[in-house]
């Protein structure tokens, strides 16, 4: 059998790391695009290459941006991938209120640009497309819980409205042109690879650094919001399963359990033997003009049709993130100690 080729946008992000790892394990060649920035943003993929040296030659990166339609068409027509995973996005909800137009360009137009390229390639050879849709599209109104594929959308941020448009573009290209195009409606998923300004990682880094004496406190916004948090490594498996299914369909991936940010804090700080209340301050800067109060998903369809299930519990997730960040904090501490003048005895 010939080796499968996957094209991944957003390969330098959290999910890009876990999805690429999974695809390499399954024998794929993986091509990713990376934005040109003044300093390199390939930290996670460089780490992956170190972790899987035997597979490193099956990852190729090239410059590209999902807002550059012509560039995408050129790359995709040259590469002729079997599967395309569109993970690229301005993915921070709070930031989307400050950068609404850019968020729409990356999150909606980026998806549309890719769908056009997929439509062209599909005339030459079959190709399967995954769109990273999100539970944010539901808006988290308590009367909609638990949210499934049938729950109406009520987007409450520029991020979510842009993702709703991309969701509909994906569905429309499937219906209009017969493309194999799926939306994965993923609830929050976290890991040690999570960006530092999402609430879970902000908390686990703070707990670890406070424990090592590297930080004195943590400032947060709404700690009563509830999220359905799973482990990113489990969720990328679901993305891949969607593209192996016989029919292109949309699926929710979730754990079905909701926890408040406060509970996450409590669990993370107690893992390092601290009481979060001694270190927490509330800062209005982190509140959003409209909040998504309660996300809790119903992933029955993915379980029954794909056989997908999350494998990692809330407590296990918090523990693995805190333990990872404690190791980072110890290294940071050791580095600082090296630079200190020796104490006079
Ligand atoms: P992430 O860590 O923020 O990664 C986003 C990726 O998109 C990064 O590689 C980023 O590149 C890239 N990107 C941003 N703008 C781009 C552009 N214009 N052109 C090309 N690449 C661009 O996000 P994630 O957590 O891995 O999430 C992956 C996808 O799933 C996103 O679409 C997100 O909206 C969606 N999603 C995430 C979750 C979740 O809980 N994690 C849940 C539902 C849906 P740089 O490295 O250069 O910034
Ligand atoms: O960690 P968050 O920023 O994630 P949010 O907004 O749920 O979005 C993430 O999950 C979505 C899936 O549902 C993805 F589509 C999206 O791309 C992203 O990955 O915030 C979680 C909650 C919010 O209610 C927020 O108001 O935590 C609250 N929060 C409280 N203090 C904070 C903070 N969030 C952040 N980022 N920083 C704070 O200091």
């Amino acid at each position: 059998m010939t080796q499968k080729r996957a094209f991944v946008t957003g390969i330098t992000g959290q999910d890009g790391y876990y999805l690429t790892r999974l695809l390499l394990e399954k024998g794929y060649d993986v091509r990713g695009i990376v934005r040109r920035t003044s300093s390199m943003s390939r930290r996670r993929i460089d780490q992956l290459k170190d972790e899987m040296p035997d597979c490193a030659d099956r990852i190729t990166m090239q410059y590209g941006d999902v807002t550059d339609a012509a560039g995408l068409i050129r790359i995709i027509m040259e590469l002729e991938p079997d599967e395309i995973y569109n993970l690229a996005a301005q993915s921070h909800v709070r930031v989307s209120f400050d950068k609404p137009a850019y968020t729409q360009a990356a999150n909606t137009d980026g998806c549309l640009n890719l769908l056009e390229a997929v439509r062209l390639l599909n005339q030459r050879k079959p190709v399967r497309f995954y769109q990273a849709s999100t539970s944010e599209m539901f808006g988290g109104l308590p009367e909609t819980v638990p949210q499934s594929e049938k729950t109406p959308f009520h987007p409450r941020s520029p991020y979510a409205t842009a993702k709703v448009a991309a969701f509909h573009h994906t569905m429309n290209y499937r219906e209009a042109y017969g493309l194999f195009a799926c939306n994965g409606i993923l609830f929050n998923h976290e890991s040690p690879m999570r960006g530092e300004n999402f609430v879970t990682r902000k908390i686990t880094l703070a707990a670890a650094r406070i424990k090592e004496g590297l930080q004195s406190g943590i400032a947060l916004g709404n700690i009563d919001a509830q999220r359905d948090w799973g482990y990113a490594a489990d969720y990328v498996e679901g993305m891949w399963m969607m593209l192996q299914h016989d029919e292109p369909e949309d699926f929710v991936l979730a754990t079905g359990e909701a926890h408040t940010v406060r509970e996450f804090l409590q669990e993370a700080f107690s893992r390092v033997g601290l009481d979060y209340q001694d270190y927490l301050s509330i800062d209005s800067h982190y509140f959003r003009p409209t909040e998504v109060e309660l996300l809790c998903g119903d992933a029955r369809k993915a379980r029954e049709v794909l056989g997908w299930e999350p494998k990692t519990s809330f407590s296990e997730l918090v523990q693995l993130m805190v333990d990872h960040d404690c190791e980072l904090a110890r290294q940071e501490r050791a580095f600082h100690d090296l630079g200190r003048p020796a104490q006079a005895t």
Side-chain angles (χ1 to χ4, degrees), residues 152-312:
F153 296 147
H154 186 130
R156 282 170 66 79
S157 64
Y159 169 79
T161 55
K163 285 284 187 175
V164 168
F167 174 96
H168 288 301
H169 284 310
T170 303
M171 195 172 77
N172 182 242
Y173 271 61
R174 179 168 73 215
E175 292 174 359
Y177 307 116
L179 296 188
F180 195 109
C182 305
N183 285 289
I185 309 174
L186 271 53
F187 282 63
N188 297 52
H189 45 279
E190 317 293 314
S191 73
M193 293 291 146
R194 188 56 143 154
E196 289 88 347
N197 61 355
F198 294 92
V199 80
T200 54
R201 188 78 199 289
K202 185 170 166 180
I203 292 170
T204 58
L205 274 169
R209 297 186 80 251
I210 291 169
K211 182 72 182 171
E212 286 297 324
L214 294 161
Q215 184 172 327
S216 58
I218 177 169
L220 293 174
N222 177 11
I223 61 168
D224 295 316
Q226 296 181 62
R227 290 290 181 274
D228 178 333
W229 280 298
Y231 180 34
D234 296 344
Y235 285 52
V236 297
E237 208 160 354
M239 296 177 185
W240 177 79
M241 285 172 150
M242 287 179 214
L243 293 202
Q244 314 314 308
H245 185 49
D246 300 340
E247 297 295 327
E249 291 179 38
D250 305 323
F251 293 91
V252 159
L253 300 185
T255 70
E257 244 184 63
H259 296 271
T260 59
V261 174
R262 190 192 299 277
E263 282 171 72
F264 196 104
L265 264 169
Q266 154 88 44
E267 186 98 11
F269 275 69
S270 66
R271 180 82 181 156
V272 295
L274 300 175
D275 182 346
Y276 77 88
Q277 293 176 93
D278 297 336
Y279 304 96
L280 175 67
S281 59
I282 299 297
D283 184 338
S284 60
H285 171 78
Y286 297 110
F287 282 84
R288 296 156 186 201
T290 35
E291 176 62 279
V292 169
E293 292 294 348
L294 170 54
L295 291 177
C296 185
D298 172 357
R300 235 173 318 171
K301 181 181 174 191
R303 194 165 56 243
E304 286 166 10
V305 178
L306 302 175
W308 178 84
E309 258 179 339
K311 300 180 187 123
T312 313

Side-chain angles (χ1 to χ4, degrees), residues 12-15 35 65-66 87 89 91 102 159 163 186 189:
T12 56
Q14 169 189 257
D15 290 4
R35 294 188 288 175
D65 193 302
V66 290
L87 309 182
S91 73
Y102 175 70
Y159 169 79
K163 285 284 187 175
L186 271 53
H189 45 279

Side-chain angles (χ1 to χ4, degrees), residues 37-56:
T37 44
S38 64
S39 58
M40 289 297 211
S41 61
R42 302 178 187 199
R43 172 175 58 85
R44 296 180 180 99
I45 289 297
D46 287 344
Q47 181 180 325
L48 184 61
K49 285 181 175 172
D50 289 344
E51 290 163 353
M52 300 179 77
D54 295 346
C55 302

